[in-house]
Amino acid sequence: MPTALITGITGQDGSYLAELLLDKGYEVWGMVRRASTESYDRIEHIRERINLVQGDLLDQPSLTQALAESEPDEVYNLAAQSFVPTSWSQPVLTAEFTAVGVTRLLEAIKQVDPRIRFYQASSSEMFGKVQEVPQSEATPLYPRSPYGVAKCYGHYITVNYRESYGMHCSSGILFNHESPRRGLEFVTRKVTDGVARIKLGLTDHLAMGNLDAKRDWGFAGDYVEAMWRMLQQDEPEDYVVATGETHTVERLVELAFGHAALDWREHVRTDERFVRPAEVDLLIGDAAKARERLGWQPTVSFEELIAMMVDADIARHRVHSQSTRRADSSSL
């Protein structure tokens, strides 16, 4: 039975990856930070099937201990400060987690067992002010946010450990990937949650930023399959993971509201507070290498993805509203 350690297991990607690895017969360990309040909502349904170990990307001894305890064959580093707008207000903390944290983990692996295979979650945000369209593994990087800059460091330190120490280190340059488990702060989930709230009469409008920004959006459940396939290769390499299609935020909004039989123009308001200081205008990935070398391709279309997310958010709000009404009536 192979063993894997996932940092960031409580996040969207971590939960989908844990499910995938369990289905493939892995012993799965998840690294979690010590916190006064624990949020395991995304992995609650598999809690009895996984092992949790404490560790923190800011504290290298805890990483060494986590590796020694879990004894993994593979490590998937999905932990980071991953919300781009927050990186503007907390750039130093973002650098510590998203950049230097990768070095701490790689160094811990080198000390504990350099044979461990390592996956680094790189990001399309590294391309930023894109130098060519579409973007491939060979496209020059030009990050446009502290998050993007930190991801560039994490990406290149992974390459450095691979080339300097012969470690099996691969980076997945993942373009935007979404699901019903996406955090509410991300634009896709912000939109689908807003649609659900408007549909159920909980609010009447949704405030948005730049509707012209273009992104390559896929389903997170598809993308974790690519992560796993990278670490099954004989030689470590870097791969772009994307759908190869781009859509504007306005198209996202139109689809989400349309799926709920609503006219988005009646409910969406633009708000300058949600416009980035430096925008990334057009991201579209060329995943030819992943298709050819990994045999990977997306299975969920953009339209199917947005419909899935809207349906999930409507169902969630409906259940919450019903339970609230029952609680109110029982207190009378």
Side-chain angles (χ1 to χ4, degrees):
M1 178 185 294
T3 301
L5 173 65
I6 304 171
T7 74
I9 194 171
T10 60
Q12 169 190 255
D13 293 4
S15 65
Y16 280 112
L17 179 60
E19 289 175 348
L20 176 77
L21 296 179
L22 287 170
D23 288 344
K24 293 183 180 296
Y26 277 67
E27 178 182 347
V28 176
W29 288 72
M31 193 181 83
V32 294
R33 298 177 65 202
R34 174 72 180 91
S36 57
T37 58
E38 299 175 340
S39 178
Y40 298 145
D41 292 349
R42 295 185 181 95
I43 58 171
E44 199 59 51
H45 62 295
I46 55 173
R47 275 291 298 276
E48 300 303 316
R49 301 173 62 197
I50 61 176
N51 308 287
L52 298 180
V53 60
Q54 289 189 1
D56 196 317
L57 290 180
L58 301 184
D59 180 56
Q60 189 168 326
S62 73
L63 301 177
T64 302
Q65 180 60 37
L67 291 167
E69 184 174 344
S70 58
E71 298 183 328
D73 301 294
E74 301 169 1
V75 170
Y76 296 85
N77 183 36
L78 310 185
Q81 191 300 99
S82 59
F83 189 45
V84 175
T86 296
S87 76
W88 292 104
S89 59
Q90 298 183 356
V92 176
L93 183 64
T94 298
E96 286 289 347
F97 272 118
T98 309
V100 184
V102 184
T103 311
R104 295 188 186 101
L105 185 51
L106 283 166
E107 190 63 19
I109 291 172
K110 182 166 71 75
Q111 292 174 1
V112 173
D113 183 357
R115 297 170 300 174
I116 294 171
R117 296 190 172 197
F118 176 78
Y119 171 83
Q120 167 60 15
S122 291
S123 169
S124 60
E125 286 285 333
M126 300 189 305
F127 295 121
K129 189 175 181 180
V130 298
Q131 302 301 290
E132 63 182 12
V133 178
Q135 295 88 50
S136 71
E137 296 82 4
T139 301
L141 307 182
Y142 196 141
R144 295 272 280 175
S145 67
Y147 170 78
V149 172
K151 278 294 184 182
C152 286
Y153 178 100
H155 179 78
Y156 279 121
I157 200 65
T158 300
V159 172
N160 186 260
Y161 271 69
R162 178 171 72 213
E163 296 179 350
S164 300
Y165 304 112
M167 294 167 61
H168 197 294
C169 302
S170 296
S171 284
I173 307 173
L174 270 58
F175 281 63
N176 295 68
H177 46 290
E178 321 297 320
S179 76
R181 301 179 192 173
R182 192 56 145 154
L184 287 168
E185 67 272 22
F186 291 89
V187 66
T188 47
R189 188 70 193 290
K190 174 182 177 179
V191 169
T192 61
D193 179 74
V195 167
R197 290 169 56 81
I198 292 169
K199 183 67 174 178
L200 297 176
L202 302 175
T203 188
D204 62 357
H205 73 280
L206 176 65
M208 295 292 295
N210 181 14
L211 297 180
D212 296 323
K214 297 178 181 179
R215 294 290 185 273
D216 184 329
W217 279 296
F219 173 50
D222 286 339
Y223 284 36
V224 298
E225 172 78 22
M227 299 177 188
W228 174 76
R229 292 192 182 199
M230 288 178 210
L231 295 199
Q232 311 317 305
Q233 304 305 302
D234 292 335
E235 298 297 327
E237 295 189 51
D238 306 323
Y239 296 87
V240 163
V241 181
T243 69
E245 298 179 1
T246 189
H247 305 274
T248 63
V249 175
E250 182 175 304
R251 178 59 176 159
L252 157 67
V253 168
E254 180 184 19
L255 282 173
F257 277 87
H259 185 70
L262 297 169
D263 184 347
W264 70 272
R265 295 177 183 82
E266 296 179 1
H267 302 284
V268 174
R269 303 174 186 173
T270 56
D271 190 327
E272 292 298 319
R273 292 178 301 166
F274 300 114
V275 176
R276 296 183 185 182
E279 182 59 87
V280 176
D281 296 313
L282 173 59
L283 291 176
I284 178 170
D286 177 2
K289 182 178 177 181
R291 290 196 303 271
E292 294 165 6
R293 305 257 186 107
L294 305 179
W296 176 88
Q297 59 184 5
T299 66
V300 177
S301 72
F302 180 62
E303 292 77 12
E304 291 169 336
L305 171 63
I306 300 307
M308 175 201 309
M309 294 175 65
V310 169
D311 288 342
D313 277 324
I314 289 175
R316 179 175 58 87
H317 278 294
R318 185 170 285 138
V319 168
H320 178 74
S321 296
Q322 290 172 349
S323 61
T324 299
R325 284 195 296 268
R326 284 196 296 268
D328 290 343
S329 62
S330 64
S331 64
L332 296 176

